[in-house]
Amino acid sequence: MRSYRKELWFNVPTRRAFINITSEVQQCIDDSGIKEGLVLCNAMHITASVFINDDESGLHHDYDVWLEKLAPHEPVSQYRHNVGEDNADAHMKRQIMGREVVVAVTDGKLDLGTWERIFYGEFDGRRKKRALVKIIGD
Ligand code: ZN
């Protein structure tokens, strides 16, 4: 069995964003040479997510509105976590959107459903952050 590891780095200029990383993850599979196996991709921060859904801008707007209803950023004083920081809402948004995805690798390709794409979800950006890609297989 072979394994491959890479960190994908982000420096999102806004507090929140959704970034399609499907092609970067596929590039990791290409670089690994692994044809059959599994790829894990996870955010390495507790205020960011990796998830799979549709690459459709209306849906991404709807996610942002929905997440702001569930865990509004303002007023920051409503959260006990916000002592010396202001990102309690980002922790909660990450919890809802998830930490990681696992996708099958078949014949050297991401074995995704027709409309499935992999996203990095940023909820407390404006600094350097990263996601891990780990691939195992043969
Ligand atoms: Zn925090």
Side-chain angles (χ1 to χ4, degrees):
M1 189 194 76
R2 286 191 284 173
S3 71
Y4 173 95
R5 180 187 189 278
K6 186 173 182 186
E7 293 173 3
L8 305 179
W9 283 85
F10 307 91
N11 195 348
V12 175
T14 52
R15 183 177 292 275
R16 295 190 301 275
F18 298 122
I19 300 168
N20 186 336
I21 59 170
T22 312
S23 61
E24 284 90 339
V25 177
Q26 180 61 55
Q27 187 62 54
C28 290
I29 297 170
D30 296 344
D31 295 345
S32 76
I34 291 170
K35 299 297 181 191
E36 297 292 328
L38 294 172
V39 54
L40 162 77
C41 185
N42 64 270
M44 297 181 82
H45 300 265
I46 49 182
T47 55
S49 290
V50 173
F51 64 95
I52 292 177
N53 218 299
D54 196 358
D55 190 8
E56 197 280 305
S57 61
L59 179 66
H60 296 178
H61 172 80
D62 295 340
Y63 274 146
D64 198 46
V65 170
W66 177 65
L67 290 166
E68 269 297 291
K69 284 181 190 164
L70 288 173
H73 177 67
E74 302 275 358
V76 296
S77 61
Q78 71 189 299
Y79 300 105
R80 288 195 186 182
H81 178 68
N82 285 342
V83 177
E85 56 182 325
D86 67 353
N87 67 2
D89 66 302
H91 290 274
M92 294 175 181
K93 287 163 177 153
R94 178 266 170 88
Q95 203 71 39
I96 291 290
M97 298 304 282
R99 173 182 183 264
E100 79 273 308
V101 300
V102 177
V103 181
V105 176
T106 303
D107 197 22
K109 299 293 179 198
L110 284 165
D111 205 340
L112 292 167
T114 305
W115 298 107
E116 288 187 314
R117 299 295 180 270
I118 306 170
F119 293 89
Y120 174 77
E122 180 60 82
F123 306 114
D124 186 24
R126 302 174 297 180
R127 56 196 170 101
K128 284 185 73 180
K129 292 167 80 170
R130 61 199 163 131
L132 176 69
V133 178
K134 181 85 180 193
I135 307 167
I136 55 172
D138 286 303

